[in-house]
Amino acid sequence: GPQIQAPSKPVPRRGQKPGAFAVMGDDIQKFGEEVAQRIDRIIKKKTFELGGDPWTMQGIPILFPSTYDGFNLGFRLQLQNIRRQDPHQMEIIGQLMASDAGRYKHQFQVDLPYAFGGKYRITSRLSYDRDISHFYFGVGNETPYDKNLLDAGSNIYSSTIAGPSLTFQFLRNFNKIYRVGPVLGFRWMNITTPPGSLLDTQRPSGINGGNSHYWGLAFIRDTLDFEPYPSRGTYHELFLQYYGKATGSDYEFTRATYTYRLYIPVHRRLTFAHRTLLEGLNGNVPFYELFTVGGTAWALAFGGDRFFRGYEANRFIDNIRLALGFELRWDPFFMNVMKQDLTVGFVPFFDIGRVWHQVWPLDLRTWHASAGWGLRLIWNSRLVFRADAALQPEGVRLAINLNNSF
């Protein structure tokens, strides 16, 4: 059965030496010794060998009911070659998920951080999504919202957005900190709108679906100590993307996405985490692209479980968006179950931000904020189960998902 250890016991977590106080400014030799000990410990305790390399695996069933999506059933599998431990030599992620209401979330992703002798990081993702609860509330920072209509089953905000997508990143590694290179994306969209819905009435760009393919460049500066679950360091990311006839897109526009993340160890079991996201889109942008935020961690835009937690997904969309997120990650309990490391954590959080249609005149009047408390279950420091309860002016929302919000 599970063995629960007190917080003072040695814990193999996030690249830190067991029992060591996390102090910024550790010298290189000590850091190297800690990494070597961590790798040795992980290889001995919870890996299998394939092709002469140590691998680790996390597989979980997906089983949950949803008010708008029906009963969801699926499976997610993560495999990592940890011959190189930070973040991994190779990672393979596969997921199949469907609901009885017709929602589908399938994906297959391969990540090679040290391809071609460590010179390149190659990441590719293929997915198929059919979303039946990506509500459309209109474009703008102060769009009206009637929760009673949603609760009554009204179709006024409804639509069905379905289609496959494929992304590819080919980034050159420089000095173990910088990565630069081209990014490509292909997205095919099919849109269905109920008669009388807000989408059917407003008919924004993209109402007929189509292709939104892009070419672009990514610039990354990464000093995180352990990418899967960092406790210190900074991360800067700038993605520049062009959509147009030359890329095969039915819409002509550009997207620029800047993401900054900061992690500060307050104590060996307490980390302050922050994210700033600033994004701008310009041109003939289909509404469903306003639903998403670009960059490495592609996600739904403001609302949902990553940005503006507690609001309905896509609650606020427009061409320019700014989001600030703050978390205090406290991981007090460690368990060992069948030679697998499980850490239980608690996370108070605060999100704030807004969207704009244009840069000037700059409107700073209305901001949106949410606050809440989260529960985390971290498996082998690589797979995070997340449950967040968020409070905001429009109500309270509980979200359950995988991986940290940032």
Side-chain angles (χ1 to χ4, degrees):
Q3 299 174 348
I4 301 178
Q5 301 178 359
S8 60
K9 295 289 185 179
V11 177
R13 180 185 175 283
R14 292 188 286 178
Q16 299 172 3
K17 185 177 179 180
F21 189 81
V23 179
M24 295 191 69
D26 286 343
D27 59 78
I28 296 176
Q29 180 179 357
K30 184 176 180 181
F31 177 76
E33 292 173 354
E34 292 175 354
V35 171
Q37 291 173 5
R38 178 188 63 199
I39 293 172
D40 180 67
R41 182 170 56 247
I42 290 178
I43 289 175
K44 286 180 179 179
K45 291 182 63 177
K46 45 187 163 290
T47 65
F48 61 94
E49 188 171 298
L50 182 64
D53 288 340
W55 289 71
T56 184
M57 177 176 67
Q58 300 89 39
I60 58 168
I62 302 172
L63 186 72
F64 65 93
S66 170
T67 303
Y68 305 121
D69 296 322
F71 189 82
N72 293 262
L73 180 64
F75 188 80
R76 182 183 177 95
L77 180 68
Q78 293 187 184
L79 292 166
Q80 295 99 10
N81 179 328
I82 56 172
R83 178 161 57 92
R84 298 191 68 158
Q85 172 65 12
D86 189 12
H88 41 255
Q89 182 69 20
M90 173 189 289
E91 180 179 62
I92 301 172
I93 299 176
Q95 174 179 297
L96 293 173
M97 190 180 77
S99 81
D100 57 1
R103 181 197 191 203
Y104 301 102
K105 304 290 284 187
H106 307 321
Q107 67 163 292
F108 179 77
Q109 177 174 305
V110 177
D111 182 33
L112 301 166
Y114 305 103
F116 299 108
K119 295 182 179 180
Y120 294 90
R121 182 165 191 170
I122 301 174
T123 307
S124 185
R125 177 182 177 182
L126 174 65
S127 63
Y128 176 80
D129 299 293
R130 186 176 188 270
D131 291 297
I132 59 177
S133 63
H134 280 190
F135 301 122
Y136 174 79
F137 301 97
V139 178
N141 190 59
E142 300 182 57
T143 51
Y145 163 68
D146 189 338
K147 187 177 185 300
N148 293 328
L149 290 177
L150 274 182
D151 294 342
S154 171
N155 287 328
I156 187 169
Y157 303 122
S158 298
S159 65
T160 298
I161 301 176
S165 62
L166 174 65
T167 61
F168 184 79
Q169 300 176 18
F170 193 90
L171 307 184
R172 178 71 160 88
N173 293 319
F174 294 97
N175 301 325
K176 299 182 180 180
I177 293 177
Y178 296 94
R179 299 193 292 273
V180 180
V183 294
L184 306 174
F186 306 90
R187 196 177 186 196
W188 299 265
M189 280 292 110
N190 180 268
I191 311 295
T192 304
T193 58
S197 65
L198 196 59
L199 267 176
D200 185 51
T201 302
Q202 295 187 356
R203 304 199 65 80
S205 176
I207 190 66
N208 295 317
N211 304 333
S212 51
H213 309 327
Y214 67 82
W215 302 338
L217 282 174
F219 305 86
I220 297 174
R221 184 183 187 276
D222 180 358
T223 65
L224 302 182
D225 63 337
F226 187 56
E227 182 182 295
Y229 197 60
S231 62
R232 69 177 67 184
T234 60
Y235 181 90
H236 299 264
E237 172 184 287
L238 177 63
F239 270 58
L240 304 174
Q241 297 164 216
Y242 167 72
Y243 304 72
K245 291 183 179 179
T247 68
S249 174
D250 295 325
Y251 307 91
E252 187 103 14
F253 65 101
T254 58
R255 182 197 298 264
T257 309
Y258 171 68
T259 305
Y260 168 68
R261 291 188 282 142
L262 168 68
Y263 303 89
I264 299 175
V266 181
H267 184 267
R268 72 184 178 93
R269 291 182 172 276
L270 188 65
T271 300
F272 171 77
H274 166 69
R275 175 185 59 194
T276 295
L277 178 129
L278 177 62
E279 182 173 76
L281 296 98
N282 183 56
N284 180 25
V285 186
F287 79 93
Y288 59 83
E289 288 292 345
L290 293 177
F291 279 7
T292 62
V293 168
T296 297
W298 181 94
L300 288 179
F302 296 171
D305 65 272
R306 292 191 180 273
F307 300 93
F308 291 14
R309 282 168 282 187
Y311 289 92
E312 295 289 348
N314 306 313
R315 181 65 186 88
F316 306 104
I317 61 172
D318 216 324
N319 287 23
I320 303 170
R321 13 329 204 11
L322 172 65
L324 307 174
F326 305 87
E327 293 188 349
L328 197 58
R329 298 176 181 173
W330 177 44
D331 301 335
F333 302 113
F334 168 76
M335 295 176 283
N336 185 272
V337 183
M338 299 177 65
K339 296 185 178 181
Q340 302 295 304
D341 290 340
L342 298 177
T343 303
V344 179
F346 305 93
V347 182
F349 60 85
F350 177 72
D351 297 337
I352 188 170
R354 61 159 294 153
V355 300
W356 293 266
H357 186 65
Q358 56 191 13
V359 175
W360 192 261
L362 186 61
D363 186 353
L364 298 176
R365 290 173 297 176
T366 304
W367 293 76
H368 307 289
S370 65
W373 189 272
L375 175 68
R376 303 289 184 269
L377 180 63
I378 304 106
W379 184 356
N380 291 342
S381 298
R382 292 185 174 275
L383 182 61
V384 179
F385 302 87
R386 172 165 54 97
D388 288 334
L391 173 67
Q392 38 79 22
E394 295 179 352
V396 180
R397 184 183 177 96
L398 175 66
I400 300 175
N401 211 328
L402 297 175
N403 301 321
N404 278 311
S405 178
F406 57 89

